[in-house]
Amino acid sequence: MSVRVRRVYEAPEPGDGVRILVDRLWPRGLSKDAAHVDEWPKALAPSTELRRWYHAGEGSYEEFAERYEAELDAPEAAEVLGHVRELAGKGSVTLLTASKEPGQSHAEVLLRLLGSRSR
């Protein structure tokens, strides 16, 4: 299983495999053609409420990760997470985010849950 996290603004690489945007909002200033996104499952992104709470600085990354994992237990999110696991079992998957700090974002939580540490 090869899963990694990259910023969506970085140029695509041959080893990216399936490129999945894991943000709820489309990245500012980036055309869909330039992004080369294969899938955009919004159910995998943190809720608007959780995202706003975290970006307002009201809690720690650890607390954000716990709350986000709880959201991922919802049926639709769990189904999409299972789909990503299946894709990763067949080849490379790149989780894309616009976050300036991917290592302190929901993408890192997803990477951990998918059981991979490839970067």
Side-chain angles (χ1 to χ4, degrees), residues 34-115:
H36 298 280
V37 169
D38 297 310
E39 296 189 18
W40 185 20
K42 295 176 189 145
L44 211 52
S47 66
T48 300
E49 296 79 18
L50 180 58
R51 183 177 49 81
R52 287 181 179 159
W53 172 84
Y54 182 53
H55 291 298
E58 296 180 23
S60 67
Y61 174 72
E62 291 74 21
E63 188 175 356
F64 165 78
E66 286 179 23
R67 290 181 180 196
Y68 178 46
E69 285 184 45
E71 287 187 353
L72 291 172
D73 286 337
E76 187 179 2
E79 182 178 331
V80 174
L81 192 58
H83 169 68
V84 174
R85 270 195 191 95
E86 287 177 19
L87 290 173
K90 297 175 184 174
S92 298
V93 170
T94 299
L95 305 177
L96 301 169
T97 182
S99 175
K100 292 179 183 175
E101 296 182 37
Q104 292 287 302
S105 75
H106 64 291
E108 186 69 20
V109 175
L110 289 171
L111 183 68
R112 182 174 44 78
L113 292 175
L114 291 166

Side-chain angles (χ1 to χ4, degrees), residues 22-41:
V22 294
D23 294 346
R24 187 167 299 277
L25 304 175
W26 187 263
R28 288 185 181 165
L30 188 64
S31 72
K32 292 188 178 181
D33 287 340
H36 298 280
V37 169
D38 297 310
E39 296 189 18
W40 185 20

Side-chain angles (χ1 to χ4, degrees), residues 4 6 10-17 19:
R4 65 180 178 165
R6 296 186 64 217
E10 297 171 1
E13 294 180 354
D16 282 350
R19 293 170 52 89

